[in-house]
Amino acid sequence: MTTLLISAGIALFGVLGAVLLTVAAREERATREGAAAPTVGSSEARNTHIGGQRVPSGAWTMEDARLVEMADALGRQVSTGSNDIAGYLTGKRVLVTGAGGSVGAELARQINRSSPGSLILLDRDESGLRDVQLSIYGHGLLDSPDTVLVDIRDQAALARVFAEHKPEIVFHAAALTHLPMLERFPDEGWKTNILGTLNLLRLSARHGVEHFVNISTDEAANPSSVLGTTKRIAEQLTAWQGEHIKSRHYVSVRFGNVLGSRGSVLNTFNAQIKAGGPITVTHPDVTRYFMTIQEVCQLVLQAGAMGGLGAVMVLDMGEPVRILDVAKRMIALSGATGVDIVFTGLRPGEKLHETHLADDEHATRTDHPKIMSVTVPPLDPTDLTDLAAGRLSHGVSGA
């Protein structure tokens, strides 16, 4: 029974459900057995090898593992004003792009709880669509009009989707987001993150979409990579569209790393530990901001209710976390032995430390304590032809 619960926990909460072992769990097991839990320095304690250092970790098995909510792991909860969320989603026709991805799927699940009039799930990944449909409706038949297999690069196909479903609210989560891949294939980032976003913005304006929420990333603040530059341009295009449709809510939402997503560093570390190591970390001092996927999506829905005029809503993600500390903790809590940590060096375009805001941005508070607002220079879509000539040189004039 315990194994089944653990498997369910891994499916629901990702890697943390599998690897985070708390002191409480060990104490509970010790109580059951009527023995004291292993302590540092005791003969029963094992040592974990981390890059030449020894980190004590008590002996344990998977039977010891207790599912730890990812929000508990971060040590914070968030109040999102759910009544406001329900008010603008209930009864509406809602389109989610990138619905087969981690963030898009969680957005769809949370939107569904607010009883939308219809929920259209759009992605170019058929397996992702099956998985999100299964998680929401209990089946993955893929035989209903609410699952749409379309690439946002295909303007004609998107136009047919808008004509058929007539969405009133759009959450745009479809994107290419792996930084090293976009450094190697920048044209792909241009076509998806920029032109795909522009396709959606134009169709949303043409069809009278009331709320358009563009999912962004903190890489867009002081961009140093193709990923950051393409997402920055997407923010600017959204800002331009928002300024030209003043009666509607067109916003971007910017945030950092998401725990529970397929691309999370924690998933990589878990796989590396399972394989016996080594764990790869780019730099001893590299830091990142983290939020749980549930928390991020709750705040995205709230930001969609409150933002407007092309603003960028920036989520407060707490304090940055040193990735080396995460790696050490995961090794120690896994109980693995002989797992080294190897430093591979920062990759082209990669930052040592992330920031929420660009150097010239000044955030203003909103009615929500976890959401700030900044303005970005709007970018007229006609100016994209000039950018295309020297495509994605890691920065935008006036950005």
Side-chain angles (χ1 to χ4, degrees):
M1 182 64 177
T2 303
T3 302
L4 290 174
L5 289 174
I6 291 169
S7 297
I10 294 171
L12 285 172
F13 296 105
V15 67
L16 286 185
V19 303
L20 284 180
L21 178 65
T22 63
V23 173
R26 290 180 179 174
E27 290 175 346
E28 288 169 6
R29 182 168 185 257
T31 300
R32 291 196 307 269
E33 296 176 351
T39 58
V40 176
S42 72
S43 59
E44 300 175 14
R46 292 196 309 221
N47 289 325
T48 299
H49 183 261
I50 303 177
Q53 303 179 36
R54 294 279 176 175
V55 177
S57 61
W60 68 286
T61 68
M62 280 298 288
E63 293 299 313
D64 293 317
R66 177 170 68 84
L67 181 64
V68 179
E69 301 269 355
M70 286 185 286
D72 294 336
L74 289 181
R76 68 177 188 268
Q77 296 288 339
V78 60
S79 173
T80 62
S82 57
N83 291 336
D84 292 338
I85 292 174
Y88 89 102
L89 295 173
T90 301
K92 297 293 186 178
R93 297 182 297 273
V94 183
L95 168 66
V96 179
T97 75
S102 304
V103 171
E106 179 60 25
L107 279 172
R109 285 189 286 268
Q110 293 193 22
I111 291 166
N112 185 62
R113 298 182 196 126
S114 293
S115 301
S118 62
L119 177 57
I120 306 102
L121 308 172
L122 183 149
D123 207 294
R124 66 176 183 177
D125 178 1
E126 58 184 347
S127 296
L129 284 174
R130 179 201 60 206
D131 292 344
V132 66
Q133 188 183 48
L134 180 63
S135 71
I136 294 174
Y137 302 111
H139 68 80
L141 299 177
L142 298 177
D143 60 352
S144 54
D146 60 347
T147 50
V148 180
L149 187 65
V150 165
D151 193 325
I152 62 169
R153 298 176 177 186
D154 188 338
Q155 187 178 28
L158 271 182
R160 290 191 291 271
V161 172
F162 274 74
E164 177 183 353
H165 294 280
K166 298 177 173 58
E168 298 168 279
I169 299 173
V170 174
F171 289 90
H172 172 35
L176 296 178
T177 59
H178 286 276
L179 186 150
M181 289 297 289
L182 294 191
E183 291 298 302
R184 296 174 55 210
F185 303 100
D187 281 357
E188 300 307 304
W190 172 272
K191 287 182 281 189
T192 294
N193 295 353
I194 296 175
L195 298 185
T197 298
L198 182 58
N199 287 339
L200 285 159
L201 285 167
R202 284 174 166 166
L203 286 166
S204 295
R206 187 181 307 160
H207 287 268
V209 167
E210 300 167 5
H211 292 262
F212 184 97
V213 181
N214 169 50
I215 303 302
S216 190
T217 168
D218 56 8
E219 294 283 350
N222 297 324
S224 61
S225 63
V226 171
L227 169 60
T229 299
T230 57
K231 297 301 281 184
R232 177 68 169 187
I233 293 173
E235 288 182 353
Q236 293 180 275
L237 291 170
T238 304
W240 185 90
Q241 194 70 74
E243 286 191 356
H244 285 75
I245 312 178
K246 299 184 183 299
S247 61
R248 305 179 202 164
H249 296 266
Y250 280 56
V251 301
S252 296
V253 183
R254 186 191 295 172
F255 51 86
N257 293 270
V258 178
L259 294 176
S261 69
R262 289 185 299 187
S264 171
V265 67
L266 300 186
N267 290 328
T268 300
F269 287 174
N270 188 45
Q272 290 174 331
I273 291 171
K274 185 176 180 180
I279 280 184
T280 53
V281 177
T282 56
H283 190 283
D285 298 321
V286 67
T287 62
R288 291 293 182 265
Y289 291 93
F290 286 98
M291 262 189 176
T292 70
I293 194 167
Q294 292 85 3
E295 183 180 10
V296 161
C297 291
Q298 288 168 5
L299 289 172
V300 166
L301 295 181
Q302 182 63 43
M306 67 194 310
L309 297 179
V312 175
M313 315 304 286
V314 182
L315 305 188
D316 180 357
M317 303 193 70
E319 296 300 319
V321 177
R322 196 166 73 129
I323 301 301
L324 178 59
D325 294 338
V326 173
K328 288 181 178 180
R329 178 170 173 77
M330 287 184 66
I331 293 173
L333 295 180
S334 73
T337 59
V339 177
D340 290 324
I341 294 176
V342 175
F343 299 108
T344 58
L346 292 174
R347 294 164 293 187
E350 194 168 26
K351 300 175 183 176
L352 186 61
H353 306 293
E354 296 288 5
T355 58
H356 296 324
L357 305 173
D359 292 339
D360 58 351
E361 289 179 341
H362 302 283
T364 57
R365 288 290 171 186
T366 67
D367 292 336
H368 196 292
K370 293 289 185 180
I371 302 175
M372 301 174 289
S373 177
V374 301
T375 59
V376 297
L379 179 64
D380 188 325
T382 59
D383 293 336
L384 286 179
T385 53
D386 296 330
L387 289 171
R391 203 169 278 185
L392 304 183
S393 58
H394 294 184
V396 185
S397 177

Short mmCIF file of all heavy atoms in Angstrom, two decimals, residues 217-268:
data_model
loop_
_atom_site.label_atom_id
_atom_site.label_comp_id
_atom_site.label_asym_id
_atom_site.label_seq_id
_atom_site.Cartn_x
_atom_site.Cartn_y
_atom_site.Cartn_z
N THR A 217 9.13 34.49 -18.72
CA THR A 217 10.17 33.92 -17.88
C THR A 217 11.09 35.02 -17.39
O THR A 217 11.23 36.06 -18.05
CB THR A 217 11.00 32.88 -18.67
OG1 THR A 217 12.17 32.53 -17.92
CG2 THR A 217 11.44 33.43 -20.01
N ASP A 218 11.75 34.78 -16.25
CA ASP A 218 12.69 35.78 -15.76
C ASP A 218 13.92 35.90 -16.66
O ASP A 218 14.72 36.83 -16.51
CB ASP A 218 13.09 35.53 -14.31
CG ASP A 218 13.67 34.15 -14.05
OD1 ASP A 218 13.93 33.41 -15.03
OD2 ASP A 218 13.87 33.80 -12.87
N GLU A 219 14.08 34.97 -17.60
CA GLU A 219 15.15 35.12 -18.60
C GLU A 219 14.93 36.37 -19.45
O GLU A 219 15.87 36.87 -20.08
CB GLU A 219 15.21 33.89 -19.50
CG GLU A 219 15.63 32.61 -18.82
CD GLU A 219 17.12 32.53 -18.55
OE1 GLU A 219 17.85 33.40 -19.06
OE2 GLU A 219 17.54 31.61 -17.82
N ALA A 220 13.70 36.88 -19.49
CA ALA A 220 13.39 38.07 -20.29
C ALA A 220 13.90 39.35 -19.65
O ALA A 220 13.93 40.40 -20.31
CB ALA A 220 11.88 38.17 -20.51
N ALA A 221 14.28 39.30 -18.38
CA ALA A 221 14.85 40.46 -17.70
C ALA A 221 16.36 40.49 -17.97
O ALA A 221 17.07 39.54 -17.64
CB ALA A 221 14.58 40.39 -16.20
N ASN A 222 16.85 41.55 -18.59
CA ASN A 222 18.25 41.63 -19.01
C ASN A 222 18.65 40.38 -19.81
O ASN A 222 19.54 39.62 -19.41
CB ASN A 222 19.18 41.77 -17.79
CG ASN A 222 18.96 43.05 -17.03
OD1 ASN A 222 18.66 44.09 -17.60
ND2 ASN A 222 19.09 42.97 -15.71
N PRO A 223 18.01 40.12 -20.92
CA PRO A 223 18.24 38.87 -21.65
C PRO A 223 19.69 38.71 -22.11
O PRO A 223 20.30 39.65 -22.62
CB PRO A 223 17.29 38.96 -22.85
CG PRO A 223 17.01 40.42 -23.02
CD PRO A 223 17.06 41.00 -21.64
N SER A 224 20.22 37.50 -21.89
CA SER A 224 21.58 37.19 -22.33
C SER A 224 21.61 35.96 -23.22
O SER A 224 22.68 35.45 -23.55
CB SER A 224 22.48 36.94 -21.10
OG SER A 224 22.00 35.83 -20.35
N SER A 225 20.44 35.49 -23.61
CA SER A 225 20.32 34.26 -24.39
C SER A 225 19.23 34.42 -25.44
O SER A 225 18.43 35.36 -25.40
CB SER A 225 19.98 33.09 -23.47
OG SER A 225 18.71 33.30 -22.86
N VAL A 226 19.19 33.47 -26.35
CA VAL A 226 18.11 33.45 -27.34
C VAL A 226 16.76 33.27 -26.65
O VAL A 226 15.78 33.93 -26.98
CB VAL A 226 18.34 32.34 -28.38
CG1 VAL A 226 17.13 32.17 -29.29
CG2 VAL A 226 19.58 32.64 -29.21
N LEU A 227 16.73 32.38 -25.65
CA LEU A 227 15.49 32.19 -24.90
C LEU A 227 15.02 33.51 -24.29
O LEU A 227 13.86 33.91 -24.46
CB LEU A 227 15.70 31.16 -23.78
CG LEU A 227 14.58 31.05 -22.74
CD1 LEU A 227 13.26 30.68 -23.41
CD2 LEU A 227 14.95 30.06 -21.65
N GLY A 228 15.91 34.19 -23.57
CA GLY A 228 15.53 35.44 -22.94
C GLY A 228 15.11 36.51 -23.93
O GLY A 228 14.14 37.24 -23.71
N THR A 229 15.82 36.58 -25.04
CA THR A 229 15.50 37.59 -26.05
C THR A 229 14.15 37.33 -26.70
O THR A 229 13.34 38.25 -26.89
CB THR A 229 16.60 37.63 -27.13
OG1 THR A 229 17.85 37.98 -26.51
CG2 THR A 229 16.28 38.68 -28.18
N THR A 230 13.88 36.08 -27.04
CA THR A 230 12.60 35.78 -27.68
C THR A 230 11.43 36.02 -26.73
O THR A 230 10.38 36.52 -27.14
CB THR A 230 12.55 34.33 -28.19
OG1 THR A 230 12.79 33.42 -27.10
CG2 THR A 230 13.58 34.11 -29.28
N LYS A 231 11.62 35.70 -25.46
CA LYS A 231 10.53 35.92 -24.50
C LYS A 231 10.38 37.40 -24.18
O LYS A 231 9.27 37.89 -23.91
CB LYS A 231 10.78 35.11 -23.23
CG LYS A 231 10.79 33.60 -23.44
CD LYS A 231 9.48 33.10 -24.01
CE LYS A 231 8.40 32.97 -22.95
NZ LYS A 231 7.15 32.39 -23.48
N ARG A 232 11.47 38.15 -24.21
CA ARG A 232 11.39 39.60 -24.04
C ARG A 232 10.60 40.23 -25.19
O ARG A 232 9.74 41.09 -24.98
CB ARG A 232 12.80 40.20 -24.00
CG ARG A 232 12.87 41.72 -23.89
CD ARG A 232 12.37 42.21 -22.56
NE ARG A 232 12.67 43.63 -22.36
CZ ARG A 232 12.47 44.28 -21.22
NH1 ARG A 232 11.97 43.62 -20.18
NH2 ARG A 232 12.76 45.55 -21.10
N ILE A 233 10.87 39.80 -26.40
CA ILE A 233 10.14 40.32 -27.55
C ILE A 233 8.66 39.96 -27.44
O ILE A 233 7.79 40.78 -27.76
CB ILE A 233 10.74 39.80 -28.86
CG1 ILE A 233 12.15 40.37 -29.06
CG2 ILE A 233 9.87 40.16 -30.06
CD1 ILE A 233 12.92 39.79 -30.23
N ALA A 234 8.37 38.76 -26.98
CA ALA A 234 6.97 38.35 -26.79
C ALA A 234 6.27 39.26 -25.78
O ALA A 234 5.10 39.63 -25.95
CB ALA A 234 6.89 36.90 -26.34
N GLU A 235 6.98 39.64 -24.70
CA GLU A 235 6.43 40.59 -23.74
C GLU A 235 6.13 41.92 -24.41
O GLU A 235 5.09 42.55 -24.18
CB GLU A 235 7.41 40.82 -22.58
CG GLU A 235 7.55 39.66 -21.62
CD GLU A 235 8.50 39.98 -20.46
OE1 GLU A 235 9.14 41.07 -20.49
OE2 GLU A 235 8.60 39.16 -19.54
N GLN A 236 7.06 42.38 -25.25
CA GLN A 236 6.90 43.68 -25.90
C GLN A 236 5.77 43.67 -26.93
O GLN A 236 5.05 44.66 -27.08
CB GLN A 236 8.22 44.09 -26.56
CG GLN A 236 9.33 44.38 -25.55
CD GLN A 236 10.60 44.79 -26.25
OE1 GLN A 236 11.40 43.94 -26.66
NE2 GLN A 236 10.80 46.09 -26.40
N LEU A 237 5.62 42.56 -27.64
CA LEU A 237 4.51 42.44 -28.58
C LEU A 237 3.17 42.45 -27.83
O LEU A 237 2.20 43.07 -28.28
CB LEU A 237 4.64 41.15 -29.40
CG LEU A 237 5.78 41.10 -30.42
CD1 LEU A 237 5.93 39.69 -30.98
CD2 LEU A 237 5.58 42.11 -31.55
N THR A 238 3.13 41.77 -26.69
CA THR A 238 1.92 41.76 -25.87
C THR A 238 1.62 43.16 -25.35
O THR A 238 0.46 43.59 -25.30
CB THR A 238 2.06 40.77 -24.71
OG1 THR A 238 2.38 39.46 -25.22
CG2 THR A 238 0.79 40.69 -23.89
N ALA A 239 2.68 43.88 -24.97
CA ALA A 239 2.50 45.26 -24.49
C ALA A 239 1.93 46.15 -25.60
O ALA A 239 1.04 46.97 -25.36
CB ALA A 239 3.83 45.82 -24.00
N TRP A 240 2.44 45.98 -26.81
CA TRP A 240 1.93 46.78 -27.94
C TRP A 240 0.45 46.48 -28.18
O TRP A 240 -0.36 47.40 -28.36
CB TRP A 240 2.74 46.48 -29.19
CG TRP A 240 2.37 47.33 -30.38
CD1 TRP A 240 2.91 48.54 -30.72
CD2 TRP A 240 1.36 47.05 -31.36
NE1 TRP A 240 2.31 49.03 -31.86
CE2 TRP A 240 1.34 48.13 -32.27
CE3 TRP A 240 0.47 46.00 -31.56
CZ2 TRP A 240 0.48 48.19 -33.36
CZ3 TRP A 240 -0.40 46.04 -32.64
CH2 TRP A 240 -0.39 47.13 -33.53
N GLN A 241 0.11 45.20 -28.18
CA GLN A 241 -1.29 44.83 -28.42
C GLN A 241 -2.19 45.35 -27.30
O GLN A 241 -3.30 45.82 -27.55
CB GLN A 241 -1.42 43.32 -28.52
CG GLN A 241 -2.75 42.85 -29.10
CD GLN A 241 -2.86 43.17 -30.58
OE1 GLN A 241 -2.24 42.54 -31.42
NE2 GLN A 241 -3.66 44.18 -30.90
N GLY A 242 -1.70 45.28 -26.05
CA GLY A 242 -2.47 45.77 -24.92
C GLY A 242 -2.74 47.25 -24.99
O GLY A 242 -3.83 47.72 -24.63
N GLU A 243 -1.76 48.02 -25.46
CA GLU A 243 -1.94 49.46 -25.58
C GLU A 243 -2.94 49.82 -26.67
O GLU A 243 -3.57 50.89 -26.62
CB GLU A 243 -0.60 50.13 -25.87
CG GLU A 243 0.33 50.19 -24.66
CD GLU A 243 1.52 51.09 -24.92
OE1 GLU A 243 1.65 51.59 -26.07
OE2 GLU A 243 2.32 51.28 -23.99
N HIS A 244 -3.09 48.96 -27.66
CA HIS A 244 -3.99 49.26 -28.78
C HIS A 244 -5.40 48.69 -28.57
O HIS A 244 -6.27 48.90 -29.41
CB HIS A 244 -3.39 48.73 -30.09
CG HIS A 244 -2.26 49.58 -30.60
ND1 HIS A 244 -1.01 49.56 -30.02
CD2 HIS A 244 -2.19 50.49 -31.61
CE1 HIS A 244 -0.22 50.42 -30.66
NE2 HIS A 244 -0.91 50.99 -31.62
N ILE A 245 -5.59 47.94 -27.49
CA ILE A 245 -6.93 47.44 -27.15
C ILE A 245 -7.16 47.75 -25.68
O ILE A 245 -7.14 46.88 -24.83
CB ILE A 245 -7.07 45.93 -27.41
CG1 ILE A 245 -6.56 45.56 -28.79
CG2 ILE A 245 -8.53 45.49 -27.29
CD1 ILE A 245 -6.62 44.08 -29.09
N LYS A 246 -7.36 49.01 -25.39
CA LYS A 246 -7.35 49.48 -24.01
C LYS A 246 -8.49 48.93 -23.15
O LYS A 246 -8.41 48.91 -21.93
CB LYS A 246 -7.36 51.01 -23.98
CG LYS A 246 -6.16 51.65 -24.65
CD LYS A 246 -6.17 53.15 -24.51
CE LYS A 246 -5.00 53.80 -25.25
NZ LYS A 246 -3.71 53.37 -24.76
N SER A 247 -9.55 48.47 -23.77
CA SER A 247 -10.70 47.99 -23.00
C SER A 247 -10.56 46.53 -22.61
O SER A 247 -11.44 45.97 -21.97
CB SER A 247 -11.99 48.19 -23.80
OG SER A 247 -11.94 47.44 -25.01
N ARG A 248 -9.45 45.89 -23.00
CA ARG A 248 -9.25 44.48 -22.70
C ARG A 248 -7.99 44.27 -21.87
O ARG A 248 -7.14 45.14 -21.78
CB ARG A 248 -9.19 43.66 -23.99
CG ARG A 248 -10.39 43.87 -24.90
CD ARG A 248 -10.24 43.04 -26.17
NE ARG A 248 -11.06 43.59 -27.26
CZ ARG A 248 -10.90 43.27 -28.53
NH1 ARG A 248 -9.95 42.40 -28.88
NH2 ARG A 248 -11.66 43.79 -29.47
N HIS A 249 -7.88 43.08 -21.30
CA HIS A 249 -6.75 42.75 -20.42
C HIS A 249 -5.74 41.90 -21.19
O HIS A 249 -5.94 40.69 -21.35
CB HIS A 249 -7.23 41.99 -19.19
CG HIS A 249 -8.14 42.79 -18.30
ND1 HIS A 249 -7.69 43.50 -17.20
CD2 HIS A 249 -9.46 43.00 -18.35
CE1 HIS A 249 -8.70 44.11 -16.62
NE2 HIS A 249 -9.79 43.82 -17.29
N TYR A 250 -4.66 42.52 -21.65
CA TYR A 250 -3.57 41.81 -22.32
C TYR A 250 -2.32 41.99 -21.47
O TYR A 250 -1.81 43.11 -21.34
CB TYR A 250 -3.35 42.34 -23.74
CG TYR A 250 -4.33 41.81 -24.75
CD1 TYR A 250 -5.71 41.95 -24.57
CD2 TYR A 250 -3.90 41.15 -25.88
CE1 TYR A 250 -6.62 41.46 -25.48
CE2 TYR A 250 -4.80 40.67 -26.82
CZ TYR A 250 -6.17 40.82 -26.61
OH TYR A 250 -7.06 40.33 -27.52
N VAL A 251 -1.81 40.90 -20.88
CA VAL A 251 -0.68 40.99 -19.97
C VAL A 251 0.30 39.85 -20.22
O VAL A 251 -0.04 38.83 -20.84
CB VAL A 251 -1.13 40.95 -18.49
CG1 VAL A 251 -2.09 42.08 -18.18
CG2 VAL A 251 -1.76 39.60 -18.15
N SER A 252 1.51 40.02 -19.71
CA SER A 252 2.47 38.93 -19.60
C SER A 252 2.68 38.64 -18.12
O SER A 252 2.54 39.54 -17.29
CB SER A 252 3.81 39.30 -20.26
OG SER A 252 3.66 39.51 -21.65
N VAL A 253 3.03 37.41 -17.80
CA VAL A 253 3.36 37.04 -16.43
C VAL A 253 4.75 36.42 -16.43
O VAL A 253 5.00 35.45 -17.14
CB VAL A 253 2.34 36.05 -15.84
CG1 VAL A 253 2.69 35.75 -14.38
CG2 VAL A 253 0.92 36.62 -15.93
N ARG A 254 5.63 37.00 -15.63
CA ARG A 254 7.05 36.62 -15.61
C ARG A 254 7.39 35.92 -14.31
O ARG A 254 7.09 36.41 -13.23
CB ARG A 254 7.92 37.87 -15.78
CG ARG A 254 9.40 37.61 -15.93
CD ARG A 254 10.18 38.93 -15.82
NE ARG A 254 9.92 39.87 -16.91
CZ ARG A 254 10.37 41.13 -16.93
NH1 ARG A 254 11.09 41.60 -15.90
NH2 ARG A 254 10.09 41.92 -17.96
N PHE A 255 8.05 34.76 -14.42
CA PHE A 255 8.47 34.03 -13.21
C PHE A 255 9.66 33.15 -13.55
O PHE A 255 10.06 33.03 -14.71
CB PHE A 255 7.31 33.19 -12.64
CG PHE A 255 6.62 32.30 -13.63
CD1 PHE A 255 7.11 31.03 -13.91
CD2 PHE A 255 5.48 32.72 -14.30
CE1 PHE A 255 6.47 30.20 -14.82
CE2 PHE A 255 4.84 31.90 -15.22
CZ PHE A 255 5.34 30.65 -15.48
N GLY A 256 10.23 32.53 -12.52
CA GLY A 256 11.44 31.73 -12.68
C GLY A 256 11.17 30.25 -12.79
O GLY A 256 10.22 29.81 -13.43
N ASN A 257 12.02 29.45 -12.15
CA ASN A 257 11.95 28.00 -12.29
C ASN A 257 10.76 27.42 -11.54
O ASN A 257 10.38 27.90 -10.48
CB ASN A 257 13.25 27.38 -11.77
CG ASN A 257 14.44 27.72 -12.63
OD1 ASN A 257 14.77 27.02 -13.57
ND2 ASN A 257 15.10 28.84 -12.32
N VAL A 258 10.22 26.35 -12.11
CA VAL A 258 8.99 25.76 -11.59
C VAL A 258 9.27 24.34 -11.11
O VAL A 258 9.67 23.48 -11.90
CB VAL A 258 7.89 25.74 -12.66
CG1 VAL A 258 6.63 25.08 -12.13
CG2 VAL A 258 7.60 27.16 -13.15
N LEU A 259 9.04 24.10 -9.82
CA LEU A 259 9.16 22.75 -9.29
C LEU A 259 7.97 21.92 -9.75
O LEU A 259 6.83 22.34 -9.68
CB LEU A 259 9.16 22.78 -7.76
CG LEU A 259 10.36 23.45 -7.07
CD1 LEU A 259 10.15 23.48 -5.58
CD2 LEU A 259 11.65 22.74 -7.42
N GLY A 260 8.25 20.73 -10.24
CA GLY A 260 7.19 19.87 -10.72
C GLY A 260 7.06 19.88 -12.22
O GLY A 260 6.29 19.10 -12.77
N SER A 261 7.79 20.76 -12.90
CA SER A 261 7.73 20.78 -14.37
C SER A 261 8.67 19.72 -14.93
O SER A 261 9.60 19.26 -14.28
CB SER A 261 8.13 22.16 -14.89
OG SER A 261 9.52 22.40 -14.67
N ARG A 262 8.43 19.37 -16.19
CA ARG A 262 9.25 18.33 -16.82
C ARG A 262 10.70 18.77 -16.96
O ARG A 262 11.61 17.95 -16.94
CB ARG A 262 8.68 17.99 -18.20
CG ARG A 262 7.38 17.24 -18.15
CD ARG A 262 6.91 16.81 -19.53
NE ARG A 262 6.69 17.93 -20.42
CZ ARG A 262 6.15 17.81 -21.63
NH1 ARG A 262 5.80 16.62 -22.08
NH2 ARG A 262 5.95 18.87 -22.39
N GLY A 263 10.92 20.08 -17.09
CA GLY A 263 12.27 20.57 -17.29
C GLY A 263 12.98 20.95 -16.00
O GLY A 263 14.07 21.52 -16.03
N SER A 264 12.38 20.65 -14.86
CA SER A 264 12.95 21.05 -13.58
C SER A 264 14.30 20.39 -13.34
O SER A 264 14.50 19.21 -13.65
CB SER A 264 11.99 20.70 -12.44
OG SER A 264 12.61 20.90 -11.19
N VAL A 265 15.22 21.16 -12.76
CA VAL A 265 16.53 20.62 -12.44
C VAL A 265 16.42 19.47 -11.44
O VAL A 265 17.25 18.57 -11.41
CB VAL A 265 17.44 21.74 -11.88
CG1 VAL A 265 16.94 22.24 -10.52
CG2 VAL A 265 18.88 21.28 -11.74
N LEU A 266 15.37 19.48 -10.64
CA LEU A 266 15.20 18.41 -9.66
C LEU A 266 14.94 17.07 -10.34
O LEU A 266 15.39 16.02 -9.86
CB LEU A 266 14.05 18.74 -8.71
CG LEU A 266 14.22 20.03 -7.90
CD1 LEU A 266 13.10 20.17 -6.88
CD2 LEU A 266 15.56 20.06 -7.20
N ASN A 267 14.24 17.07 -11.44
CA ASN A 267 14.04 15.83 -12.19
C ASN A 267 15.36 15.30 -12.72
O ASN A 267 15.63 14.09 -12.71
CB ASN A 267 13.07 16.06 -13.35
CG ASN A 267 11.65 16.30 -12.88
OD1 ASN A 267 11.24 15.77 -11.85
ND2 ASN A 267 10.91 17.10 -13.60
N THR A 268 16.20 16.22 -13.21
CA THR A 268 17.53 15.81 -13.70
C THR A 268 18.36 15.22 -12.58
O THR A 268 18.97 14.15 -12.73
CB THR A 268 18.25 17.03 -14.30
OG1 THR A 268 17.48 17.56 -15.39
CG2 THR A 268 19.63 16.63 -14.81
#
